[in-house]
Amino acid sequence: MSSKVPLDLMSINEEGPSFITRGFPESLNNPISDNKHIVAPECIPENFDSDPVQKFAGLGLEITSAVIGNVISHPCIVIRRQCQVNRKAARYHLNPFTLIPVLMRLHSRQGVSCLWKGCAGIFILRGCTIVLETFLAEVTPFPREVSSRSSLKQLSQHLLLKLIAYGVLTPFYCASLVETVQSDIASEKPGVLDCLKEGVCRLFKLGTPRSTRLLPMWQLVGPSALFGVSTYVLSSLTQSILHWFHNMKIRNMHGKLSVEYPSSQSSAINYIDNLSIVHFSSFLASVVLYPAETMIHRLYLQGTRTIIDDLDSGTSVLPVISTYEGIVDCFHTIVAEEGASGLYKGFGGLLMEYALQVLILKVAQFVFHEIESVFKPANKPISEHSI
């Protein structure tokens, strides 16, 4: 789930990894917080803007991060969610190769825009999340940010703040999910602010009549909030551990008196390394909690009379029909009717998303390494007689 709950960088000290969050850059692949991989300032190495080459590299890496988050991720999220909510699908698309011909057929029939539906609602929800968390931090003693020096009480309050934010915004996440998965050829394209309007209608049961299978919001708030916080914590802890190992590796390299290890690592490469850690942490959290994401998506969509693309063929549409009574019943029904692998429908879309991200990061790493080698003089070895 696109969020997608927040993924933040960690503070690393010499004793080991420590949990710390800065801001709330909204980067989990779920309706609660879609993974757009916005990089927090802590990801940028010190003295990154010390010369024009580093400034150019910084601008290029920001563009790379935006491309990964908004151009690459969203189509994969759209496809993955459509697979997850289709309980009658015969093809589970557990690997990305089965999705390629389906994507080609969708593109030929509906155009490329069908893969970027729901973008506007996701961006609006990001802004709403930031505003809500800031408001809660002002009117309550709960901190919006914590550091390695924060107490256990402060950390608990910080997580409680996020729990409240996820719960309050649950109806808007439901509306955003509908915008993301509904078929363009069977539904009207939503307006820019329709996500907010539909969220309010869902909360107060306003607007067009809905199915009696629509779950009351109180049944969705708890699972949504717990899923969001769980993804946030798992992703953050993974980042903390990986950053600690990464920093230890750099310290060991700098401690060796050898020409093979320069006195300072390329800032651009270090930035990409940190960005890679962010993406891997998000990927790990998405894999571990993928079954929970599938169940929550189905509960969000139940009773909304949404029509999605049939990804068995890519040439037709079908309605989403389910009668789950809650999160527990949803789990047992999926396992009984679709098997345990039914919880991983669309997993190939997740693999495709992160494979493309890895490819882009590798290309960016190569490009900036070449740029630095052209514009920067080679490091001269220190003479044995130099003082």
Coordinates of all heavy atoms in Angstrom, one line a residue, residues 47-123:
N47 N 28.6 18.7 2.5 CA 29.4 19.4 1.5 C 29.0 19.0 0.1 O 29.9 19.0 -0.8 CB 30.9 19.2 1.8 CG 31.3 19.7 3.1 OD1 30.8 20.7 3.6 ND2 32.2 18.9 3.8
F48 N 27.8 18.6 -0.1 CA 27.4 18.1 -1.4 C 27.4 19.2 -2.4 O 27.6 19.0 -3.6 CB 26.0 17.5 -1.3 CG 25.6 16.7 -2.5 CD1 26.1 15.5 -2.7 CD2 24.7 17.2 -3.4 CE1 25.8 14.7 -3.9 CE2 24.3 16.5 -4.6 CZ 24.9 15.3 -4.8
D49 N 27.3 20.5 -2.0 CA 27.3 21.6 -2.9 C 28.6 22.4 -2.8 O 28.6 23.6 -3.0 CB 26.1 22.5 -2.6 CG 24.7 21.9 -2.9 OD1 24.7 21.0 -3.7 OD2 23.8 22.2 -2.2
S50 N 29.7 21.7 -2.6 CA 30.9 22.4 -2.4 C 31.5 22.9 -3.7 O 32.4 23.7 -3.7 CB 31.9 21.4 -1.7 OG 32.1 20.2 -2.5
D51 N 31.1 22.4 -4.9 CA 31.6 22.8 -6.1 C 30.5 22.6 -7.2 O 29.5 22.0 -7.0 CB 32.9 22.1 -6.5 CG 32.7 20.6 -6.6 OD1 31.8 20.1 -7.3 OD2 33.4 19.8 -5.9
P52 N 30.7 23.2 -8.4 CA 29.7 23.1 -9.4 C 29.4 21.7 -9.8 O 28.2 21.4 -10.2 CB 30.3 23.9 -10.6 CG 31.3 24.9 -9.9 CD 31.8 24.2 -8.7
V53 N 30.4 20.8 -9.8 CA 30.1 19.5 -10.2 C 29.2 18.8 -9.3 O 28.2 18.1 -9.6 CB 31.5 18.7 -10.3 CG1 31.2 17.2 -10.6 CG2 32.4 19.2 -11.4
Q54 N 29.4 19.0 -8.0 CA 28.5 18.4 -7.0 C 27.1 19.0 -7.0 O 26.1 18.4 -6.8 CB 29.1 18.7 -5.6 CG 30.5 18.0 -5.3 CD 30.4 16.5 -5.3 OE1 29.4 15.9 -5.6 NE2 31.5 15.9 -4.9
K55 N 27.0 20.4 -7.4 CA 25.7 21.0 -7.5 C 25.0 20.4 -8.7 O 23.8 20.1 -8.6 CB 25.9 22.5 -7.7 CG 26.4 23.2 -6.5 CD 26.5 24.7 -6.7 CE 27.0 25.4 -5.5 NZ 27.1 26.9 -5.7
F56 N 25.7 20.2 -9.8 CA 25.1 19.5 -10.9 C 24.6 18.1 -10.6 O 23.5 17.7 -11.0 CB 26.1 19.5 -12.1 CG 25.6 18.8 -13.3 CD1 24.7 19.3 -14.2 CD2 26.0 17.5 -13.5 CE1 24.2 18.7 -15.3 CE2 25.5 16.8 -14.6 CZ 24.6 17.4 -15.5
A57 N 25.5 17.4 -9.9 CA 25.1 16.0 -9.5 C 23.9 16.0 -8.6 O 23.0 15.2 -8.7 CB 26.3 15.4 -8.8
G58 N 23.8 17.0 -7.7 CA 22.7 17.1 -6.8 C 21.4 17.3 -7.5 O 20.4 16.7 -7.2
L59 N 21.4 18.2 -8.5 CA 20.2 18.5 -9.3 C 19.8 17.2 -10.1 O 18.7 16.9 -10.1 CB 20.5 19.7 -10.2 CG 19.4 20.0 -11.2 CD1 18.1 20.4 -10.5 CD2 19.8 21.1 -12.2
G60 N 20.8 16.6 -10.7 CA 20.5 15.4 -11.4 C 20.0 14.3 -10.6 O 19.0 13.6 -11.0
L61 N 20.4 14.1 -9.4 CA 20.0 13.1 -8.5 C 18.5 13.4 -8.0 O 17.7 12.5 -7.8 CB 20.9 12.9 -7.3 CG 22.2 12.2 -7.7 CD1 23.2 12.3 -6.6 CD2 22.0 10.8 -8.1
E62 N 18.2 14.6 -7.8 CA 16.9 15.0 -7.4 C 15.9 14.6 -8.6 O 14.8 14.1 -8.4 CB 16.8 16.5 -7.1 CG 17.5 16.9 -5.8 CD 16.8 16.3 -4.6 OE1 15.6 15.9 -4.7 OE2 17.5 16.1 -3.6
I63 N 16.3 14.9 -9.8 CA 15.5 14.6 -11.0 C 15.4 13.1 -11.1 O 14.3 12.5 -11.4 CB 16.1 15.1 -12.2 CG1 16.1 16.7 -12.2 CG2 15.4 14.7 -13.5 CD1 16.8 17.3 -13.4
T64 N 16.5 12.3 -10.8 CA 16.4 10.9 -10.9 C 15.4 10.3 -9.8 O 14.6 9.4 -10.1 CB 17.8 10.3 -10.5 OG1 18.7 10.7 -11.5 CG2 17.8 8.8 -10.6
S65 N 15.4 10.9 -8.6 CA 14.5 10.5 -7.6 C 13.1 10.7 -8.0 O 12.2 9.9 -7.8 CB 14.8 11.2 -6.3 OG 13.9 10.9 -5.3
A66 N 12.8 11.9 -8.6 CA 11.5 12.2 -9.1 C 11.0 11.3 -10.2 O 9.9 10.9 -10.2 CB 11.4 13.7 -9.5
V67 N 11.9 10.9 -11.1 CA 11.6 10.0 -12.2 C 11.2 8.7 -11.6 O 10.2 8.0 -12.0 CB 12.8 9.9 -13.2 CG1 12.5 8.8 -14.1 CG2 12.9 11.2 -13.9
I68 N 12.0 8.2 -10.7 CA 11.8 6.9 -10.1 C 10.4 6.9 -9.4 O 9.6 5.9 -9.5 CB 12.9 6.5 -9.1 CG1 14.2 6.2 -9.8 CG2 12.5 5.3 -8.3 CD1 15.3 6.0 -8.9
G69 N 10.1 8.0 -8.7 CA 8.9 8.0 -7.9 C 7.6 8.2 -8.7 O 6.6 7.5 -8.4
N70 N 7.7 9.1 -9.6 CA 6.4 9.5 -10.3 C 6.2 8.9 -11.7 O 5.1 8.7 -12.1 CB 6.4 11.0 -10.4 CG 6.4 11.6 -9.0 OD1 5.5 11.5 -8.3 ND2 7.5 12.3 -8.8
V71 N 7.3 8.6 -12.4 CA 7.2 8.0 -13.7 C 7.2 6.5 -13.7 O 6.4 5.9 -14.4 CB 8.3 8.6 -14.6 CG1 8.2 8.0 -16.0 CG2 8.3 10.1 -14.7
I72 N 8.1 5.9 -12.9 CA 8.2 4.5 -12.9 C 7.3 3.8 -12.0 O 6.6 2.8 -12.3 CB 9.7 4.1 -12.6 CG1 10.6 4.7 -13.6 CG2 9.8 2.6 -12.5 CD1 10.4 4.2 -15.0
S73 N 7.1 4.3 -10.8 CA 6.4 3.6 -9.7 C 4.9 3.5 -10.0 O 4.3 2.5 -9.8 CB 6.7 4.2 -8.4 OG 8.0 4.1 -8.0
H74 N 4.3 4.6 -10.4 CA 2.8 4.7 -10.4 C 2.2 3.7 -11.3 O 1.2 3.0 -10.9 CB 2.4 6.1 -10.7 CG 0.9 6.3 -10.5 ND1 0.4 6.4 -9.2 CD2 -0.2 6.3 -11.3 CE1 -0.9 6.5 -9.2 NE2 -1.3 6.5 -10.5
P75 N 2.7 3.5 -12.6 CA 2.0 2.5 -13.4 C 2.1 1.1 -12.8 O 1.1 0.3 -13.0 CB 2.8 2.6 -14.7 CG 3.4 3.9 -14.8 CD 3.7 4.3 -13.3
C76 N 3.2 0.8 -12.2 CA 3.3 -0.6 -11.5 C 2.4 -0.7 -10.4 O 1.8 -1.8 -10.1 CB 4.8 -0.8 -11.1 SG 6.0 -0.8 -12.4
I77 N 2.1 0.4 -9.7 CA 1.2 0.4 -8.5 C -0.2 0.2 -9.1 O -1.0 -0.6 -8.5 CB 1.3 1.7 -7.7 CG1 2.6 1.8 -7.0 CG2 0.2 1.8 -6.7 CD1 2.9 3.1 -6.4
V78 N -0.6 0.9 -10.2 CA -1.9 0.7 -10.7 C -2.2 -0.7 -11.1 O -3.2 -1.3 -10.8 CB -2.0 1.6 -12.0 CG1 -3.3 1.3 -12.8 CG2 -2.0 3.1 -11.6
I79 N -1.2 -1.3 -11.8 CA -1.4 -2.7 -12.2 C -1.4 -3.7 -11.0 O -2.3 -4.6 -10.9 CB -0.2 -3.1 -13.2 CG1 -0.3 -2.4 -14.5 CG2 -0.3 -4.6 -13.4 CD1 -1.6 -2.6 -15.3
R80 N -0.6 -3.5 -10.1 CA -0.5 -4.3 -8.9 C -1.9 -4.3 -8.1 O -2.4 -5.3 -7.7 CB 0.6 -3.9 -8.0 CG 0.8 -4.8 -6.8 CD 2.0 -4.4 -5.9 NE 1.7 -3.4 -5.0 CZ 2.3 -2.2 -5.1 NH1 3.2 -1.9 -6.0 NH2 2.0 -1.2 -4.2
R81 N -2.4 -3.1 -7.9 CA -3.6 -3.0 -7.2 C -4.8 -3.6 -7.9 O -5.7 -4.2 -7.3 CB -3.9 -1.5 -6.9 CG -3.0 -0.9 -5.9 CD -3.4 0.6 -5.7 NE -2.5 1.2 -4.7 CZ -2.6 2.5 -4.4 NH1 -3.5 3.2 -4.9 NH2 -1.7 3.0 -3.5
Q82 N -4.8 -3.5 -9.2 CA -5.9 -4.1 -10.0 C -5.9 -5.6 -9.9 O -6.9 -6.3 -9.8 CB -5.9 -3.7 -11.5 CG -6.3 -2.3 -11.7 CD -6.4 -1.9 -13.2 OE1 -5.7 -2.4 -14.0 NE2 -7.4 -1.2 -13.5
C83 N -4.7 -6.2 -9.8 CA -4.6 -7.6 -9.6 C -5.0 -8.0 -8.2 O -5.7 -9.0 -8.0 CB -3.1 -8.0 -9.8 SG -2.5 -8.0 -11.5
Q84 N -4.6 -7.2 -7.2 CA -4.9 -7.5 -5.8 C -6.4 -7.6 -5.5 O -6.9 -8.4 -4.8 CB -4.3 -6.5 -4.9 CG -2.8 -6.7 -4.7 CD -2.2 -5.6 -3.9 OE1 -2.5 -4.4 -4.0 NE2 -1.3 -6.0 -3.0
V85 N -7.2 -6.7 -6.1 CA -8.6 -6.6 -5.8 C -9.5 -7.5 -6.6 O -10.7 -7.6 -6.4 CB -9.1 -5.1 -5.9 CG1 -8.3 -4.2 -5.0 CG2 -9.0 -4.6 -7.4
N86 N -8.9 -8.2 -7.6 CA -9.7 -9.1 -8.5 C -9.7 -10.5 -7.9 O -8.8 -11.3 -8.2 CB -9.1 -9.1 -9.9 CG -9.9 -9.8 -10.9 OD1 -11.0 -10.4 -10.5 ND2 -9.5 -9.8 -12.1
R87 N -10.7 -10.8 -7.2 CA -10.8 -12.1 -6.5 C -11.1 -13.2 -7.5 O -10.8 -14.4 -7.2 CB -11.9 -12.1 -5.4 CG -13.3 -11.8 -5.9 CD -14.2 -11.6 -4.8 NE -14.5 -12.8 -4.0 CZ -15.5 -13.6 -4.2 NH1 -16.4 -13.3 -5.1 NH2 -15.7 -14.7 -3.4
K88 N -11.6 -12.9 -8.7 CA -12.0 -14.0 -9.7 C -10.9 -14.2 -10.7 O -11.1 -14.9 -11.6 CB -13.3 -13.6 -10.3 CG -14.5 -13.6 -9.4 CD -15.8 -13.4 -10.1 CE -17.0 -13.5 -9.2 NZ -18.3 -13.3 -9.9
A89 N -9.8 -13.5 -10.6 CA -8.7 -13.6 -11.6 C -8.1 -15.0 -11.6 O -7.8 -15.6 -10.6 CB -7.6 -12.6 -11.3
A90 N -8.0 -15.5 -12.8 CA -7.4 -16.8 -13.0 C -5.9 -16.7 -13.0 O -5.2 -17.7 -12.6 CB -7.9 -17.5 -14.3
R91 N -5.4 -15.6 -13.5 CA -3.9 -15.4 -13.5 C -3.5 -14.5 -12.4 O -4.0 -13.4 -12.2 CB -3.5 -14.8 -14.9 CG -4.0 -15.6 -16.1 CD -3.6 -15.0 -17.4 NE -2.1 -15.0 -17.6 CZ -1.5 -14.5 -18.6 NH1 -2.1 -13.9 -19.6 NH2 -0.2 -14.7 -18.7
Y92 N -2.6 -15.0 -11.6 CA -2.2 -14.3 -10.4 C -1.1 -13.3 -10.6 O -0.8 -12.4 -9.8 CB -1.7 -15.2 -9.3 CG -2.9 -16.0 -8.7 CD1 -4.1 -16.0 -9.2 CD2 -2.7 -16.8 -7.5 CE1 -5.2 -16.8 -8.7 CE2 -3.7 -17.5 -7.0 CZ -5.0 -17.5 -7.5 OH -6.0 -18.2 -7.0
H93 N -0.4 -13.4 -11.7 CA 0.7 -12.5 -12.1 C 1.7 -12.3 -10.9 O 2.0 -11.3 -10.5 CB 0.2 -11.1 -12.4 CG -0.7 -11.1 -13.7 ND1 -0.2 -11.4 -14.9 CD2 -2.0 -10.8 -13.8 CE1 -1.2 -11.3 -15.8 NE2 -2.3 -10.9 -15.2
L94 N 2.3 -13.5 -10.5 CA 3.3 -13.5 -9.5 C 4.6 -13.1 -9.9 O 5.5 -12.9 -9.1 CB 3.3 -14.9 -8.8 CG 2.0 -15.4 -8.2 CD1 2.2 -16.8 -7.7 CD2 1.5 -14.5 -7.1
N95 N 4.9 -13.0 -11.2 CA 6.1 -12.6 -11.8 C 5.8 -11.5 -12.8 O 4.8 -11.5 -13.4 CB 7.0 -13.7 -12.4 CG 6.3 -14.3 -13.6 OD1 6.4 -13.7 -14.7 ND2 5.6 -15.4 -13.5
P96 N 6.8 -10.6 -13.1 CA 6.5 -9.5 -14.0 C 6.4 -9.9 -15.4 O 5.8 -9.1 -16.2 CB 7.8 -8.6 -13.8 CG 8.8 -9.5 -13.3 CD 8.1 -10.5 -12.5
F97 N 6.9 -11.0 -15.8 CA 6.9 -11.4 -17.3 C 5.4 -11.6 -17.8 O 5.2 -11.3 -19.0 CB 7.7 -12.6 -17.5 CG 9.1 -12.5 -17.0 CD1 9.6 -13.1 -15.9 CD2 10.0 -11.7 -17.7 CE1 10.9 -12.9 -15.4 CE2 11.3 -11.5 -17.3 CZ 11.7 -12.1 -16.1
T98 N 4.5 -12.1 -16.9 CA 3.2 -12.3 -17.4 C 2.4 -11.0 -17.5 O 1.4 -10.9 -18.2 CB 2.4 -13.2 -16.4 OG1 2.4 -12.6 -15.1 CG2 3.1 -14.6 -16.3
L99 N 2.9 -9.9 -16.9 CA 2.3 -8.6 -17.0 C 2.6 -7.9 -18.3 O 1.8 -7.0 -18.7 CB 2.6 -7.8 -15.8 CG 2.0 -8.1 -14.5 CD1 2.6 -7.4 -13.3 CD2 0.5 -7.9 -14.5
I100 N 3.7 -8.2 -18.9 CA 4.2 -7.4 -20.1 C 3.1 -7.4 -21.2 O 2.8 -6.4 -21.7 CB 5.5 -7.9 -20.5 CG1 6.6 -7.6 -19.4 CG2 5.9 -7.2 -21.8 CD1 8.0 -8.1 -19.7
P101 N 2.7 -8.6 -21.6 CA 1.7 -8.6 -22.7 C 0.4 -7.9 -22.3 O -0.3 -7.3 -23.2 CB 1.4 -10.1 -23.0 CG 1.9 -10.8 -21.8 CD 3.0 -10.0 -21.3
V102 N 0.0 -8.0 -21.0 CA -1.2 -7.3 -20.6 C -1.1 -5.8 -20.7 O -2.0 -5.1 -21.1 CB -1.6 -7.8 -19.1 CG1 -2.8 -7.0 -18.6 CG2 -1.8 -9.3 -19.1
L103 N 0.1 -5.3 -20.3 CA 0.4 -3.9 -20.3 C 0.3 -3.4 -21.8 O -0.2 -2.3 -22.1 CB 1.7 -3.6 -19.7 CG 1.8 -3.7 -18.2 CD1 3.3 -3.6 -17.8 CD2 1.0 -2.7 -17.5
M104 N 0.8 -4.2 -22.7 CA 0.8 -3.8 -24.1 C -0.6 -3.7 -24.6 O -1.0 -2.8 -25.4 CB 1.7 -4.8 -24.9 CG 3.1 -4.8 -24.6 SD 4.1 -6.1 -25.4 CE 3.8 -5.6 -27.1
R105 N -1.5 -4.7 -24.2 CA -2.8 -4.6 -24.7 C -3.6 -3.5 -24.1 O -4.4 -2.8 -24.8 CB -3.5 -6.0 -24.4 CG -3.1 -7.1 -25.3 CD -4.0 -8.3 -25.1 NE -3.8 -9.0 -23.9 CZ -2.9 -10.0 -23.7 NH1 -2.2 -10.4 -24.8 NH2 -2.8 -10.6 -22.6
L106 N -3.4 -3.2 -22.8 CA -4.0 -2.0 -22.2 C -3.6 -0.7 -22.9 O -4.4 0.2 -23.1 CB -3.6 -2.0 -20.7 CG -4.4 -2.9 -19.7 CD1 -3.8 -2.8 -18.3 CD2 -5.9 -2.6 -19.7
H107 N -2.3 -0.6 -23.2 CA -1.8 0.6 -23.8 C -2.4 0.8 -25.2 O -2.8 1.9 -25.6 CB -0.3 0.5 -23.9 CG 0.3 1.6 -24.7 ND1 0.6 1.6 -26.0 CD2 0.7 2.9 -24.3 CE1 1.1 2.7 -26.4 NE2 1.2 3.5 -25.4
S108 N -2.6 -0.3 -25.9 CA -3.1 -0.2 -27.3 C -4.6 0.1 -27.3 O -5.1 0.8 -28.2 CB -2.9 -1.5 -28.1 OG -3.6 -2.6 -27.4
R109 N -5.3 -0.3 -26.3 CA -6.8 -0.1 -26.2 C -7.2 1.2 -25.5 O -8.1 1.9 -25.9 CB -7.5 -1.3 -25.5 CG -7.5 -2.5 -26.3 CD -8.1 -3.7 -25.4 NE -9.5 -3.3 -25.0 CZ -10.6 -3.5 -25.7 NH1 -10.5 -4.1 -26.9 NH2 -11.7 -3.2 -25.2
Q110 N -6.4 1.6 -24.5 CA -6.8 2.8 -23.7 C -5.9 3.9 -23.7 O -6.1 5.0 -23.2 CB -7.0 2.3 -22.2 CG -8.1 1.2 -22.0 CD -8.3 0.9 -20.6 OE1 -8.2 1.7 -19.7 NE2 -8.6 -0.4 -20.3
G111 N -4.7 3.7 -24.3 CA -3.7 4.8 -24.3 C -2.8 4.7 -23.0 O -3.1 4.0 -22.0
V112 N -1.7 5.5 -23.1 CA -0.8 5.4 -22.0 C -1.3 6.0 -20.7 O -0.8 5.7 -19.6 CB 0.6 6.1 -22.4 CG1 0.4 7.6 -22.6 CG2 1.7 5.8 -21.5
S113 N -2.3 6.9 -20.8 CA -2.8 7.6 -19.6 C -3.5 6.6 -18.6 O -3.6 7.0 -17.5 CB -3.8 8.7 -20.0 OG -4.9 8.1 -20.7
C114 N -3.9 5.5 -19.1 CA -4.6 4.5 -18.2 C -3.7 4.0 -17.1 O -4.2 3.5 -16.1 CB -5.2 3.4 -19.0 SG -3.9 2.2 -19.7
L115 N -2.4 4.2 -17.3 CA -1.4 3.7 -16.3 C -1.0 4.7 -15.3 O -0.3 4.5 -14.3 CB -0.2 3.1 -17.0 CG -0.4 2.0 -17.9 CD1 0.9 1.6 -18.6 CD2 -0.9 0.8 -17.2
W116 N -1.5 6.0 -15.5 CA -1.2 7.0 -14.5 C -2.5 7.6 -13.9 O -2.5 8.7 -13.3 CB -0.5 8.2 -15.2 CG 1.0 7.9 -15.2 CD1 1.9 8.3 -14.3 CD2 1.7 7.2 -16.2 NE1 3.2 7.9 -14.6 CE2 3.1 7.2 -15.8 CE3 1.4 6.6 -17.4 CZ2 4.1 6.6 -16.6 CZ3 2.4 6.0 -18.2 CH2 3.7 6.0 -17.7
K117 N -3.6 6.8 -13.9 CA -4.8 7.3 -13.3 C -4.6 7.3 -11.7 O -4.0 6.4 -11.1 CB -6.0 6.4 -13.6 CG -5.7 4.9 -13.4 CD -6.8 4.1 -14.1 CE -6.5 2.6 -14.1 NZ -7.4 1.8 -14.9
G118 N -5.2 8.3 -11.1 CA -5.2 8.4 -9.7 C -4.0 9.2 -9.2 O -3.9 9.4 -7.9
C119 N -3.1 9.7 -10.0 CA -2.0 10.5 -9.6 C -2.3 11.7 -8.8 O -1.7 12.0 -7.8 CB -1.1 10.9 -10.8 SG 0.2 9.7 -11.2
A120 N -3.3 12.4 -9.3 CA -3.7 13.7 -8.7 C -4.2 13.5 -7.2 O -3.8 14.2 -6.3 CB -4.8 14.4 -9.5
G121 N -5.0 12.4 -7.1 CA -5.5 12.1 -5.7 C -4.4 11.8 -4.8 O -4.4 12.1 -3.6
I122 N -3.4 11.1 -5.3 CA -2.3 10.7 -4.4 C -1.5 11.9 -3.9 O -1.1 12.0 -2.8 CB -1.4 9.7 -5.1 CG1 -2.1 8.3 -5.2 CG2 0.0 9.5 -4.4 CD1 -1.4 7.3 -6.1
F123 N -1.2 12.8 -4.8 CA -0.5 14.0 -4.5 C -1.2 14.9 -3.5 O -0.7 15.4 -2.5 CB -0.1 14.8 -5.7 CG 1.0 14.3 -6.5 CD1 0.8 13.8 -7.8 CD2 2.3 14.2 -6.0 CE1 1.9 13.3 -8.5 CE2 3.4 13.7 -6.7 CZ 3.1 13.3 -8.0

